[in-house]
Amino acid sequence: MTERISIVENILSANDRLAEENHARINAAGVFSINLMASPGAGKTSLIEQTLPLLKDKMRIAVVDGDIATSLDADRAAAAGAQVSIQVNTGGECHLDAVMLHGALNQLDLTRFDLLMVENVGNLVCPAEFRLGTHKSVLIASVPEGADKPYKYPGMYRGVDALIINKIDLLPYVNFDMDYFRHGVEVLNPGVITFPLSCRTGDGMDAWINWLIKNTKR
Ligand SMILES: Nc1nc2c(ncn2[C@@H]2O[C@H](COP(=O)(O)OP(=O)(O)OP(=O)(O)O)[C@@H](O)[C@H]2O)c(=O)[nH]1
Ligand SMILES: [Mg+2]
């Protein structure tokens, strides 16, 4: 048992070392980068699809899409206007890790871009444990998932730099207790910047886009 824990720790520290290398590389190129995490279907690819048309005339954007088996999401990002869209097939793994992002960065001339959006695999547990080396971690919660998710998946909510509450167009139809949700978030991640929005209607997208623009001009 003790040995198993030490192996896990070694894997994570090896990952962290490579994440630092990724970070240095992204920084040196002057690119702002985000790691988009969420449960399956929360709207990661939809957010990328909505963001690209609003920013593609202002900045050059690359997308790295993690997926267990398909290139469907990378294809959607390319169709929405990403200058470059790279598919990373995790071969069944439930998360991206720093090695996988490293491989994707090897295919990119980072100096050609202002913003790098990484879509992690849909999962509310594993992605939180593997740093990639991006500047900001962004979690997308969506209202049909239920308001109890911060309580059930604290590791994910604790570590993120920004929180999107997606699918607010569905609030009239689902039983989502916003106060309960926000209280759970506040306990884990006090003051985290939060963007309620709808990728369906576009409501709330302005604040998210402004946050990206502000950070990209670091
Ligand atoms: N009503 C509504 N539906 C949405 C919204 N955003 C996304 N969806 C729908 O939710 C479903 C899943 O969206 P995706 O963007 O594929 O979700 P994802 O997080 O990328 O999913 P995985 O990559 O499979 O984990 C799709 O049918 C979207 O059309 C929204 O704001 N409102
Ligand atoms: Mg997706």
Side-chain angles (χ1 to χ4, degrees):
M1 188 63 175
T2 309
E3 208 162 307
R4 184 166 181 272
I5 290 167
S6 92
I7 290 168
V8 170
E9 281 174 355
N10 286 344
I11 289 170
L12 288 176
S13 70
N15 184 79
D16 282 356
R17 277 195 299 277
L18 197 57
E20 275 167 29
E21 210 179 302
N22 289 343
H23 188 77
R25 202 160 149 187
I26 294 168
N27 249 353
V31 185
F32 175 58
S33 55
I34 60 171
N35 175 16
L36 279 174
M37 299 181 286
S39 59
K44 297 175 292 300
T45 315
S46 299
L47 185 74
I48 290 170
E49 286 177 318
Q50 295 306 312
T51 300
L52 280 164
L54 298 172
L55 285 180
K56 71 180 181 198
D57 294 336
K58 296 186 179 69
M59 55 180 81
R60 300 157 301 169
I61 303 169
V63 175
V64 171
D65 238 299
D67 200 290
I68 290 178
T70 75
S71 66
L72 290 171
D73 290 355
D75 295 345
R76 283 170 62 186
Q83 275 92 343
V84 169
S85 166
I86 295 179
Q87 171 69 34
V88 177
N89 197 312
T90 67
E93 290 294 330
C94 55
H95 58 270
L96 288 176
D97 62 25
V99 179
M100 297 178 202
L101 183 62
H102 193 79
L105 296 183
N106 284 341
Q107 300 175 51
L108 276 175
D109 176 3
L110 275 176
T111 59
R112 287 179 46 218
F113 298 97
D114 306 299
L115 172 64
L116 170 67
M117 292 196 278
V118 179
E119 175 174 350
N120 215 309
V121 176
N123 187 303
L124 276 186
V125 182
C126 315
E129 292 178 9
F130 288 83
R131 288 174 51 210
L132 303 182
T134 48
H135 291 106
K136 304 276 188 196
S137 296
V138 179
L139 174 62
I140 306 177
S142 67
V143 302
E145 289 167 43
D148 57 356
K149 294 302 170 284
Y151 302 88
K152 296 182 71 174
Y153 301 94
M156 183 63 83
Y157 280 81
R158 204 178 273 125
V160 295
D161 303 298
L163 173 66
I164 287 171
I165 306 173
N166 188 30
K167 310 194 188 183
I168 57 168
D169 55 294
L170 296 179
L171 279 172
Y173 312 106
V174 294
N175 205 4
F176 186 82
D177 184 338
M178 189 63 86
D179 289 341
Y180 181 62
F181 176 81
R182 283 188 182 268
H183 176 73
V185 172
E186 191 58 25
V187 168
L188 296 165
N189 199 333
V192 65
I193 188 160
T194 303
F195 303 102
L197 56 81
S198 167
C199 289
R200 170 69 49 86
T201 64
D203 281 354
M205 283 295 291
D206 285 5
W208 162 245
I209 293 293
N210 288 338
W211 183 81
L212 283 176
I213 291 172
K214 194 181 81 194
N215 278 285
T216 303
K217 291 179 181 156
R218 288 167 309 132

